[in-house]
């Protein structure tokens, strides 16, 4: 994860590799949810793009385009949030699991992250569209 710790800004990218034998098509944005240390859902508003969170992240604000992955090819999406506490009476939220549905109807993937998604109490996460990974 990258970002600016002084500003509480966090950015993370996630990759999906087509391990199958047929092309795999991704469109738009993945469906995303977060879970805490007990695997309980975390309340978060997942928004497309970075409006109201930050600027200067072209991958996250790109227009969605279909991405077709040949076997062995990869795609990625990014997410951005701020670790910001805006109200002292509202507890800060931390998630350790990012749950991703790559496309509608696909199996949901549970990704345990090494660095937490530490939302503070903003309850907001910006999400970028699927993009081909160029190696």
């Amino acid at each position: 994860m990258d970002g600016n710790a002084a500003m509480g800004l966090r950015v993370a990218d996630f990759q999906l590799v087509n391990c199958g034998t047929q092309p795999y098509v991704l469109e738009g944005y993945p469906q995303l949810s977060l879970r805490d240390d007990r695997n309980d859902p975390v309340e978060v508003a997942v928004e497309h793009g970075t409006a109201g969170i930050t600027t200067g992240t072209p991958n996250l604000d790109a227009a969605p385009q279909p991405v077709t992955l040949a076997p062995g090819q990869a795609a990625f999406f990014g997410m951005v949030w701020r670790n910001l506490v805006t109200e002292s009476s509202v507890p800060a939220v931390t998630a350790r699991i990012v749950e991703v549905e790559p496309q509608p109807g696909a199996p949901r993937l549970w990704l345990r992250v090494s660095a937490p998604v530490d939302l503070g109490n903003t309850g907001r996460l910006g999400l970028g569209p699927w993009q081909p990974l160029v190696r």
Side-chain angles (χ1 to χ4, degrees), residues 13-17 74-77 109 111 130 133 135:
D13 288 336
F14 294 88
Q15 294 181 20
L16 176 77
V17 177
F76 75 98
F77 70 89
L109 309 169
L111 309 172
W130 284 111
L133 181 66
R135 296 179 195 207

Side-chain angles (χ1 to χ4, degrees), residues 4 17-18 29 47 52-53 59 73 83 92-93 98 102 106 112 122:
N4 184 319
V17 177
N18 181 358
Y29 300 84
E47 303 166 3
I53 298 173
N59 287 344
Q73 287 185 322
N83 178 359
V93 173
V98 177
R112 186 167 298 276
T122 63

Side-chain angles (χ1 to χ4, degrees), residues 29-49:
Y29 300 84
Q31 293 294 314
L32 189 97
S33 58
L34 302 176
R35 294 186 174 268
D36 64 16
D37 289 335
R38 296 182 313 269
N39 297 336
D40 293 330
V42 169
E43 190 172 323
V44 60
V46 178
E47 303 166 3
H48 295 168

Side-chain angles (χ1 to χ4, degrees), residues 4 6 9-11 13 15-16 18 20-21 24 27 35 42 47 69 72 74 82 90 92 102-103 106 122-123 126:
N4 184 319
L9 183 64
R10 310 286 198 262
V11 179
D13 288 336
Q15 294 181 20
L16 176 77
N18 181 358
T21 58
Y24 191 79
E27 293 191 51
R35 294 186 174 268
V42 169
E47 303 166 3
L69 301 178
R82 284 195 185 277
V90 178
Q103 60 181 343
T122 63

Side-chain angles (χ1 to χ4, degrees), residues 70-96:
Q73 287 185 322
F76 75 98
F77 70 89
M79 58 187 208
V80 63
W81 69 96
R82 284 195 185 277
N83 178 359
L84 181 63
V85 175
T86 57
E87 293 183 41
S88 61
S89 62
V90 178
V93 173
T94 299
R96 295 272 180 192

